[in-house]
């Protein structure tokens, strides 16, 4: 009998039939808290994390503001753009087919595709394990093994301890393997080979020669799996997930000429005074970088009135010319008086204008406000 998933071959999804729901600011903040488990934020010494990247991993017949929830019928590990709600093959000029497998302890990590973007690298992965290893870990056939810590080396530069995110294919493969889209921020670099991060806020495309091919390696030093309830002593995250240490390394090469040529930098140099319910200071936005894959913005908030620890958040949402919210994820750190954030936003092909809307919120007091009087627009993607 034909497998049930074979009947899905050639199927398509009509997004016009999906309902769009507007989330309130409070709902968006609560959603971030619920989903933060799926994110590995950058670890910064003496600078505690104040925000984590956001990914919506559930499958549901609803399109929500901030995220497109999409039921995939194709193998995401072999088509990076599909989980990103892009037309199939739209990144063919930027991504590279790798199809290389690394094996350790009976577990295979296959890198199907790799794509260099502005400030990040994206990997389409498939992870599988033999029955002996799954039995030893106490896993049943439906329990996935997920990617863990990743180290990337481009030429002589190493990148690790940066924010990363994982998107999981909701339908496992017939052989019991699972597909993932793994994204690692290339913002923290070891440039001298001593094994320590010596540069933060690194812009990798600004340091790559477009006329040169670079050797690149992707090394997973750990994988993760969800323990069976009988193995779990408590309900906390650390106890519910197990870690497999090992070495899964794949080597290939990369050329950044096309992504460099098609990435535009828009200087903004905005200084926005903030004064809302005791939150006072200056929100600074230097520039916006727009690549064919994403929109990225680094901004800081410097407080002029006491500590901003706790639930305080000052940030920027971005909408397109049709009022659609493009915000996807954010990572950053801070001190008592300074917040630093790297925001990432969707760059859909029909986006021609960005509207920047600063906001302030206090999670502890459960309030949030968009500062529409300080909003401003920017034309993009105009060739």
């Amino acid at each position: 009998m034909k497998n049930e998933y074979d009947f899905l071959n050639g199927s398509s999804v009509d997004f016009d039939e999906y309902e769009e729901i507007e989330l309130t600011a409070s709902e968006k903040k609560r959603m971030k808290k619920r989903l933060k488990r799926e994110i590995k934020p950058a670890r910064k010494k003496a600078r505690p994390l104040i925000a984590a990247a956001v990914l919506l991993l559930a499958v549901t017949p609803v399109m929500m503001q901030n995220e497109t929830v999409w039921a995939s019928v194709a193998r995401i590990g072999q088509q990076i753009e599909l989980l990103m709600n892009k037309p199939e093959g739209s990144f063919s000029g930027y991504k590279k087919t790798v199809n290389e497998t690394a094996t350790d302890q009976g577990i295979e990590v296959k890198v199907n595709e790799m794509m260099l973007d502005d400030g990040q690298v994206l990997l389409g992965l498939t992870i599988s394990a033999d029955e002996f290893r799954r039995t030893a870990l106490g896993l049943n056939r439906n329990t996935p093994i997920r990617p863990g810590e990743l180290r990337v080396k481009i030429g002589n530069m190493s990148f690790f301890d940066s924010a990363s995110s994982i998107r999981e294919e909701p339908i496992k493969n017939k052989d019991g393997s699972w597909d993932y889209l793994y994204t690692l921020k290339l913002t923290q670099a070891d440039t001298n080979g001593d094994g320590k991060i010596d540069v933060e806020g690194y812009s990798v495309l600004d340091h790559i020669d477009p006329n040169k091919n670079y050797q690149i390696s992707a090394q997973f030093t750990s994988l993760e799996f969800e323990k069976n309830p009988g193995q779990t002593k408590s309900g906390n995250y650390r106890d519910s997930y197990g870690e497999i240490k090992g070495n899964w390394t794949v080597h290939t090469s990369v050329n950044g000429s096309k992504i460099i040529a098609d990435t535009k930098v828009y200087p903004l140099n905005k200084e926005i005074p903030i004064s809302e319910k005791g939150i006072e200071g200056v929100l600074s936005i230097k520039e916006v970088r727009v690549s064919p894959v994403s929109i990225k913005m680094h901004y800081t908030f410097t407080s002029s009135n006491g500590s901003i620890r706790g639930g305080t958040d000052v940030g920027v949402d971005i909408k397109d010319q049709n009022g659609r919210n493009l915000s996807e994820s954010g990572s950053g750190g801070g001190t008592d008086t300074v917040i630093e954030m790297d925001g990432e936003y969707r760059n859909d092909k029909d986006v021609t204008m960005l509207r920047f809307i600063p906001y302030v919120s206090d999670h502890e007091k459960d309030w949030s406000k968009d500062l529409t009087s300080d909003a401003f627009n920017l034309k993009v993607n105009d060739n």
Side-chain angles (χ1 to χ4, degrees):
M1 181 176 179
K2 197 170 184 179
N3 185 279
E4 57 189 315
Y5 297 126
D6 291 337
F7 292 105
L8 294 175
N9 291 335
S11 300
S12 61
V13 178
D14 185 358
F15 293 101
D16 292 333
E17 297 179 357
Y18 286 60
E19 179 186 2
E20 189 168 294
I21 295 177
E22 294 290 322
L23 302 181
T24 66
S26 295
E27 287 171 332
K28 286 188 284 184
K29 305 308 176 188
R30 286 194 293 270
M31 181 179 288
K32 289 182 181 181
K33 291 181 180 180
R34 291 198 304 269
L35 298 172
K36 66 181 180 180
R37 190 187 72 180
E38 300 300 331
I39 306 305
K40 292 179 171 55
R43 295 195 294 269
K44 295 187 177 182
K45 296 180 180 179
R47 298 174 67 185
L49 184 80
I50 59 169
V54 176
L55 291 177
L56 195 54
L57 301 176
V59 179
T60 173
V62 174
M63 291 181 65
M64 295 184 179
Q65 180 190 32
N66 265 18
E67 296 290 339
T68 300
V69 186
W70 184 63
S72 169
V73 294
R75 290 193 62 175
I76 291 168
Q78 296 184 3
Q79 292 290 337
I80 286 177
E81 52 267 65
L82 294 183
L83 188 56
M84 301 176 70
N85 193 24
K86 300 283 187 177
E88 184 175 356
S90 59
F91 292 151
S92 58
Y94 306 100
K95 66 181 182 179
K96 179 176 182 177
T97 300
V98 180
N99 286 337
E100 295 291 338
T101 301
T103 304
D104 191 4
Q105 304 173 62
I107 303 174
E108 293 185 351
V109 176
K110 181 182 179 183
V111 178
N112 302 302
E113 294 182 338
M114 178 180 293
M115 182 166 63
L116 183 65
D117 183 28
D118 183 28
Q120 62 185 3
V121 64
L122 299 89
L123 305 176
L125 306 171
T126 300
I127 299 180
S128 58
D130 58 36
E131 290 300 322
F132 177 81
R133 185 58 179 168
R134 297 184 71 88
T135 300
L137 293 171
L139 303 181
N140 60 43
R141 187 172 178 81
N142 294 319
T143 302
I145 296 176
R146 308 175 73 246
E149 295 297 326
L150 174 65
R151 299 172 67 97
V152 169
K153 187 173 183 180
I154 303 177
N156 295 322
M157 300 175 293
S158 295
F159 302 89
F160 51 93
D161 278 353
S162 295
S164 62
S165 62
I166 305 169
R167 305 188 189 194
E168 180 178 322
E169 164 64 63
I171 302 174
K172 71 174 181 179
N173 301 315
K174 289 183 288 187
D175 62 1
S177 63
W178 295 85
D179 291 332
Y180 301 94
L181 177 62
Y182 191 107
T183 303
L184 178 72
K185 301 293 185 183
L186 303 179
T187 53
Q188 300 194 152
D190 170 16
T191 60
N192 58 16
D194 65 355
K196 300 178 181 178
I197 296 296
D198 51 66
V199 177
E200 296 186 8
Y202 195 82
S203 296
V204 65
L205 294 191
D206 294 343
H207 296 83
I208 286 182
D209 183 348
N211 299 313
K212 182 178 178 181
N213 291 326
Y214 291 85
Q215 294 300 307
I216 180 171
S217 66
Q219 178 190 23
F220 285 97
T221 59
S222 69
L223 304 176
E224 295 180 349
F225 62 94
E226 187 171 5
K227 296 179 181 179
N228 291 330
Q231 299 174 295
T232 304
K233 298 178 182 179
S234 67
N236 62 52
Y237 173 79
R238 290 181 180 273
D239 194 40
S240 299
Y241 282 78
E243 184 178 53
I244 309 166
K245 293 288 188 179
N247 182 3
W248 295 267
T249 304
V250 169
H251 301 272
T252 185
S253 62
V254 67
N255 182 288
S257 58
K258 185 168 177 57
I259 193 70
I260 291 172
D262 294 343
T263 297
K264 298 181 180 180
V265 179
Y266 299 87
L268 294 179
N269 297 316
K270 290 284 186 179
E271 300 284 333
I272 302 173
I274 303 293
S275 180
E276 292 289 338
K277 295 187 177 182
I279 302 175
E280 298 180 6
V282 176
L283 177 66
S284 301
I285 310 172
K286 180 182 178 182
E287 64 184 21
V288 172
R289 303 173 67 98
V290 180
S291 81
V293 181
S294 59
I295 300 167
K296 294 183 176 64
M297 175 176 59
H298 178 81
Y299 56 88
T300 62
F301 174 70
T302 303
S303 173
S304 59
N305 182 25
S307 174
I308 51 175
R309 286 187 181 274
T312 300
D313 186 18
V314 179
V316 184
D317 282 332
I318 295 182
K319 295 186 177 183
D320 68 4
Q321 68 277 4
N322 298 315
R324 179 179 46 171
N325 199 311
L326 304 178
S327 301
E328 280 204 326
S329 66
S331 62
T335 65
D336 281 340
T337 58
V338 178
I339 295 173
E340 292 188 43
M341 286 294 297
D342 291 293
E344 183 170 333
Y345 312 82
R346 295 199 312 275
N347 184 16
D348 296 334
K349 64 178 182 179
D350 58 344
V351 173
T352 59
M353 188 270 289
L354 302 178
R355 181 164 180 78
F356 300 81
I357 307 173
Y359 67 84
V360 294
S361 65
D362 190 321
H363 307 325
E364 302 293 333
K365 300 177 181 178
D366 198 26
W367 68 268
S368 181
K369 179 180 180 181
D370 289 339
L371 306 180
T372 54
S373 61
D374 293 308
F376 59 96
N377 301 336
L378 174 69
K379 289 185 177 181
V380 296
N381 294 333
D382 49 344
N383 298 319

